[in-house]
Amino acid sequence: MEDLDTLVLRTALRWQTAGLPVVLVTVARTWGSSPRPPGSLMALNGQGEVVGSVSGGCIEDDLIHRIREGGVPAACATDAPTVLRYGISADEAHRFGLPCGGTVELVLEVLAPHSRLAELLQACQQRRSTERVLDLRTGHVTLREVQRDGRRDGVPCLTDTQLTTYLGPQNRLIVIGAGDLSRFLCQMALSLGFEVVVCDPREEHRASWGLDGIEISHEMPDDLILRLRPDARTAVVALTHDPKLDDLALIDALQSEAFYVGAIGSRRNSTLRRERLHEHFDVPESALQALHGPAGLYIGSKTPAEIALSIMAEVVAVKNGIHRPMPAPVALGKQLHDHEQDQPASTALTAPSCLA
């Protein structure tokens, strides 16, 4: 499954190739509360069809109505991009369903060959972060590869003459080990717009394992990590419980740009893993601090689906730049849970301040 930005761009390019007039809409700036962040994309064609969103519904309905009533010129009067602002007054905020005080500024551009959508999509597929500069006077686009933090490729910048946006590769999840937990984790990752790769060299484990839209590799996990070279939009999760498969892959992943590296296991096994990686493989303590183990946030999970939810929640939290405070990681959560179980019934409901 594609992430939403890629889906919008690919659909817009398909409409454009079919000869339909297409308007690409970008959230350029927001003030106060807004349903969609800057950089969000939406596309509309001359028939009033839409993909993506910029507000959650009401602004989309207004733009669709304009186009259905008067065609693309009703939204963009000229071939040059148009800047629209919604929600300036309280009445407009109420009309367009914006939160109280919310204002959103949009840039609408009629797509043409000089919009360079095909090149932009190709760059994303090749996992290259790209700066897209739209000239507001002519509609011409300049593309430039940039090196940025993969979790956030840059906030859009709108001036009187240009809109600069940043698009990066799709978020990717590399899962080591094919099993029930992997299946649930991969399904969740797909629904969240991640590209997913599952690696398991054990034929008996992967023979009957498969999900549509997922790449399955039979390489040794460390070979796969070295081949894919995880970038800053990649998460790596080891699920085999087998040090022969997990350890070398984790070592390589910790030396990569991956924004998240995690492994399942008990607290004891996670401690032993850290000691093993440090003593036998000379992995420095500074690198081991980036290893999430046991992987996940503590939600009292028991079943494979619940454990997958716990892990995916932590992956998304780290992807979004939330490190602390956030719900307790598994090790701390279990420590708190064990502490509560040891308390008399009258005090077990009160968490000690040092663990809360």
Side-chain angles (χ1 to χ4, degrees):
M1 182 180 295
E2 293 180 322
D3 64 283
L4 187 55
D5 286 347
T6 303
L7 176 62
V8 170
L9 294 175
R10 192 178 302 283
T11 303
L13 180 61
R14 175 167 54 82
W15 289 339
Q16 182 186 4
T17 303
L20 293 171
V22 184
V23 177
L24 182 66
V25 186
T26 304
V27 178
R29 291 188 290 208
T30 63
W31 293 265
S33 300
S34 61
R36 299 284 284 136
S40 299
L41 298 175
M42 179 179 75
L44 306 97
N45 65 27
Q47 299 174 350
E49 297 174 319
V50 62
V51 58
S53 66
V54 293
S55 77
C58 295
I59 292 178
E60 288 85 343
D61 291 344
D62 181 64
L63 292 174
I64 291 169
H65 175 75
R66 291 192 192 195
I67 288 178
R68 285 181 174 171
E69 291 294 316
V72 167
C76 295
T78 68
D79 289 339
T82 300
V83 179
L84 293 179
R85 181 178 290 189
Y86 286 90
I88 298 174
S89 68
D91 288 342
E92 285 179 314
H94 177 74
R95 175 189 171 197
F96 293 112
L98 293 171
C100 180
T103 301
V104 58
E105 198 164 52
L106 308 176
V107 173
L108 286 67
E109 56 178 302
V110 178
L111 294 184
H114 55 239
S115 302
R116 303 180 69 178
L117 282 199
E119 295 173 66
L120 183 60
L121 276 167
Q122 184 179 34
C124 291
Q125 290 171 344
Q126 295 174 348
R127 307 197 65 79
R128 292 186 282 121
S129 292
T130 304
E131 178 187 78
R132 182 177 190 261
V133 181
L134 171 68
D135 190 318
L136 298 180
R137 299 160 298 187
T138 65
H140 284 264
V141 168
T142 302
L143 301 178
R144 184 171 68 90
E145 185 174 349
V146 292
Q147 296 296 324
R148 289 187 173 271
D149 181 348
R151 282 163 280 175
R152 299 190 61 186
D153 280 291
V155 177
C157 177
L158 179 65
T159 69
D160 291 339
T161 59
Q162 65 184 34
L163 170 68
T164 303
T165 55
Y166 301 90
L167 288 99
Q170 185 175 1
N171 292 310
R172 177 173 59 183
L173 176 66
I174 299 174
V175 179
I176 300 169
D180 291 335
L181 173 55
S182 305
R183 188 181 305 277
F184 287 111
L185 184 66
C186 292
Q187 288 173 332
M188 293 178 190
L190 284 175
S191 70
L192 291 166
F194 280 71
E195 173 191 342
V196 182
V197 180
V198 174
C199 177
D200 200 322
R202 303 168 299 181
E203 174 64 28
E204 64 277 13
H205 284 264
R206 70 172 192 277
S208 60
W209 200 101
L211 286 173
D212 291 341
I214 291 178
E215 177 186 342
I216 301 179
S217 168
H218 58 79
E219 299 168 82
M220 288 298 293
D222 55 314
D223 291 336
L224 176 76
I225 297 297
L226 290 174
R227 176 172 67 83
L228 294 183
R229 299 174 60 191
D231 55 27
R233 281 180 175 253
T234 300
V236 180
V237 181
L239 303 179
T240 73
H241 289 288
D242 185 345
K244 296 191 300 296
L245 298 177
D246 289 348
D247 282 7
L248 293 179
L250 290 173
I251 291 170
D252 292 331
L254 288 169
Q255 297 179 71
S256 74
E257 296 180 3
F259 72 84
Y260 179 96
V261 180
I264 61 169
S266 67
R267 283 171 288 172
R268 178 178 180 276
N269 284 339
S270 296
T271 298
L272 291 175
R273 178 191 297 117
R274 291 174 182 275
E275 293 174 353
R276 187 169 61 245
L277 295 182
H278 179 62
E279 295 175 7
H280 297 289
F281 296 97
D282 296 323
V283 178
E285 290 290 346
S286 57
L288 290 173
Q289 289 177 4
L291 176 61
H292 296 262
L297 302 180
Y298 183 71
I299 58 173
S301 52
K302 302 294 184 184
T303 67
E306 292 175 346
I307 296 170
L309 175 61
S310 163
I311 295 172
M312 204 64 223
E314 186 175 49
V315 169
V316 171
V318 175
K319 174 184 74 70
N320 291 340
I322 299 175
H323 296 279
R324 294 292 183 270
M326 67 176 178
V330 169
L332 181 57
K334 287 186 174 181
Q335 181 182 352
L336 173 59
H337 178 74
D338 291 348
H339 179 86
E340 290 176 343
Q341 295 299 307
D342 292 338
Q343 301 303 305
S346 61
T347 62
L349 297 179
T350 303
S353 60
C354 62
L355 296 177

